[in-house]
Amino acid sequence: GRHDNFFELGGHSLLAVRLMGRVIAIFDTRVPLGTLFDQPSLADFSRRVLIQMIEQEMEGGDTNELNGAAESE
């Protein structure tokens, strides 16, 4: 379930690297590999991925909006 530990279910470092690749491919966001080691449950890890996605969107969105506003003036 969502509270199961990735490593207790048989996950290991090579699978963790593959998982990070899938996170990048599917969600277009990068999360440090250490995040999975620090937060190995699906619930905690997915929460961290979501936070990272929001942070990246805010950083990219603010910059793009400001650049677009400056260019249109």
Side-chain angles (χ1 to χ4, degrees):
R2 66 179 186 231
H3 296 292
D4 290 340
N5 183 300
F6 173 80
F7 299 102
E8 290 175 1
L9 293 174
H12 49 76
S13 59
L14 293 177
L15 284 176
V17 170
R18 287 182 60 195
L19 175 60
M20 292 302 149
R22 289 186 180 191
V23 168
I24 293 167
I26 294 169
F27 299 109
D28 193 29
T29 193
R30 292 185 182 272
V31 179
L33 181 59
T35 303
L36 186 57
F37 289 88
D38 293 338
Q39 300 173 352
S41 75
L42 176 60
D44 292 338
F45 180 72
S46 61
R47 186 177 303 114
R48 184 61 204 138
V49 170
L50 180 59
I51 290 168
Q52 186 68 25
M53 290 172 62
I54 291 168
E55 289 174 352
Q56 286 179 353
E57 182 66 26
M58 289 177 63
E59 289 173 5
D62 288 346
T63 302
N64 292 336
E65 289 173 17
L66 292 175
N67 289 339
E71 291 173 5
S72 65
E73 290 181 0

